Amino acid sequence: DPVLGMGVGELFHRRRKSLSAKELSHIHAWMNIRTFAVRRLIRSVDWPAVDLPTWTLGIDVESEEQAAEMVRAKWYVPNGPIRSVTAVADQAGIMSLPTAFPSAEIDAIAIWPSDLPPLAFVSADALQDRLRFTLMHEVGHLVLHQRSALLTVNADIENEANRFAAAFLMPRSEIRPQLRNLTIDRLTHLKREWKVSMSSLLMRAKQLAMISPSDEKALWAAMSRNGWRKREPPQLDVFSENLGELYSQLYRLHQVDLKFSDQTLAEMTNLYPSDLRQWIAPTLSGPRLV
């Protein structure tokens, strides 16, 4: 199997810069092992065509905002908040894989090998408001950066993917009127409605010029005093996502419908049965490196 590495247009991460090269190397190794397994499992099914466009900023689309609007239209996403982002991605043929990353410094990796559907390895430990933004951040990479001939290693691709995710989850025409006169109470109400973090709503308000610098600073300060910059109120947590459903269905097809034993599945994926259960079986969230 081809081993995927750090080439531009091959791997996209949502991570913090403090993640060490050694940790990232370990993560890439486990990601490749799970990709090998998906490649072998998917041979047994007639996988539907992937409905995911690839565009170049400034040529095919004018902005990340326009790209997000066009993808929503292409996928027939109704107006308003999206109930389940993972369900929308599943319908487009994007396979999400819950992953227990060894560090809180990384949230996701997205890849689109030429012989597989797009794969999004997403932290299984993430709160769902963050998970929703993270998954769409990775979709933004795949749409805007996967096939771009103009992309360079110095491109501002992380901010571009963030702007795509924000526009996809909070479309300008719908969210903009709701971002007037923001208060903490207003942010909590909007989080319940749009199923995104209060921080994302506040940043979207700034992006759309719906808040003054002084009011924005005051709201960030209030969130810091309450400890909500690190952990927003648990009573506002989102529970609408089912990460890894396509992968679980693929694995269950082999176990239940085709009646493959662990030994047979291990031989298919070139793993020991114990390793298969620990690293590949969807009932577990994935490898946890120590």
Side-chain angles (χ1 to χ4, degrees), residues 2 49 54 63-64 103 139-140 144 219-220 235 238 261:
T54 54
S63 66
E64 305 91 341
S103 169
V139 170
L144 298 174
L219 285 173
W220 282 124
Q235 63 269 28
V238 176
S261 66

Side-chain angles (χ1 to χ4, degrees), residues 3 27 38 40 56 81 103 120 132 151-152 163 196 213-214 249 285:
V3 177
I27 290 167
V38 170
R40 284 155 174 74
T56 299
S103 169
R132 288 162 61 87
L151 192 64
T152 69
R163 288 191 287 268
V196 295
S214 59
Q249 290 180 15
S285 56

Side-chain angles (χ1 to χ4, degrees), residues 2-284:
V3 177
L4 299 167
M6 280 296 292
V8 171
E10 193 168 79
L11 281 181
F12 300 108
H13 307 79
R14 190 180 190 210
R15 65 184 177 97
R16 296 163 184 81
K17 293 180 180 179
S18 55
L19 186 70
S20 72
K22 183 177 180 180
E23 287 177 309
L24 193 57
S25 178
H26 287 170
I27 290 167
H28 287 170
W30 290 119
M31 180 212 66
N32 272 289
I33 289 172
R34 296 189 77 190
T35 302
F36 299 162
V38 170
R39 181 173 286 112
R40 284 155 174 74
L41 292 171
I42 211 167
R43 290 171 183 167
S44 304
V45 302
D46 184 13
W47 196 262
V50 175
D51 185 17
L52 184 64
T54 54
W55 296 317
T56 299
L57 277 172
I59 297 179
D60 304 307
V61 290
E62 295 179 0
S63 66
E64 305 91 341
E65 195 94 27
Q66 184 188 37
E69 291 172 358
M70 291 171 65
V71 173
R72 280 184 69 120
K74 181 176 178 60
W75 289 352
Y76 299 102
V77 177
N79 291 339
I82 300 172
R83 189 188 67 80
S84 172
V85 170
T86 50
V88 169
D90 287 351
Q91 286 294 318
I94 301 165
M95 184 184 291
S96 60
L97 295 97
T99 304
F101 289 113
S103 169
E105 300 299 300
I106 185 166
D107 288 319
I109 301 176
I111 55 172
W112 193 352
S114 59
D115 59 337
L116 289 175
L119 306 178
F121 299 83
V122 182
S123 173
D125 298 325
L127 294 171
Q128 290 203 359
D129 56 355
R130 185 171 180 87
L131 182 154
R132 288 162 61 87
F133 195 96
T134 293
L135 182 56
M136 292 319 303
H137 173 100
E138 297 305 319
V139 170
H141 276 311
L142 295 172
V143 170
L144 298 174
H145 307 135
Q146 177 72 18
R147 312 291 189 212
S148 176
L150 302 180
L151 192 64
T152 69
V153 294
N154 296 319
D156 192 18
I157 63 174
E158 292 306 308
N159 283 330
E160 290 171 359
N162 280 336
R163 288 191 287 268
F164 176 94
F168 191 92
L169 293 169
M170 298 168 280
R172 174 190 295 265
S173 61
E174 299 173 57
I175 194 71
R176 198 170 187 272
Q178 300 186 34
L179 296 176
R180 294 190 179 97
N181 304 316
L182 281 181
T183 63
I184 288 293
D185 287 344
R186 181 69 178 153
L187 285 172
T188 61
H189 171 78
L190 290 174
K191 175 170 181 172
R192 289 191 179 97
E193 181 180 356
W194 287 89
K195 303 182 190 302
V196 295
S197 69
M198 296 164 68
S199 295
S200 293
L201 287 159
L202 191 48
M203 287 187 283
R204 187 67 168 146
K206 178 182 179 181
Q207 192 177 62
L208 298 178
M210 294 302 294
I211 190 170
S212 68
S214 59
D215 287 344
E216 180 196 3
K217 183 178 179 180
L219 285 173
W220 282 124
M223 289 182 63
S224 294
R225 286 194 301 272
N226 289 317
W228 294 349
R229 297 289 294 271
K230 294 182 178 180
R231 174 66 164 96
E232 294 184 6
Q235 63 269 28
L236 300 178
D237 284 352
V238 176
F239 299 101
S240 59
E241 303 300 331
N242 190 13
L243 190 66
E245 179 61 23
L246 283 183
Y247 179 66
S248 295
Q249 290 180 15
L250 179 65
Y251 197 88
R252 286 197 301 268
L253 178 139
H254 289 80
Q255 278 192 318
V256 179
D257 297 353
L258 301 180
K259 302 187 186 309
F260 282 16
S261 66
D262 282 357
Q263 181 63 44
T264 303
L265 286 168
E267 291 171 0
M268 282 180 62
T269 55
N270 289 343
L271 292 168
Y272 292 111
S274 59
D275 293 341
L276 178 90
R277 289 189 293 270
Q278 181 179 356
W279 300 329
I280 307 301
T283 51
L284 300 178

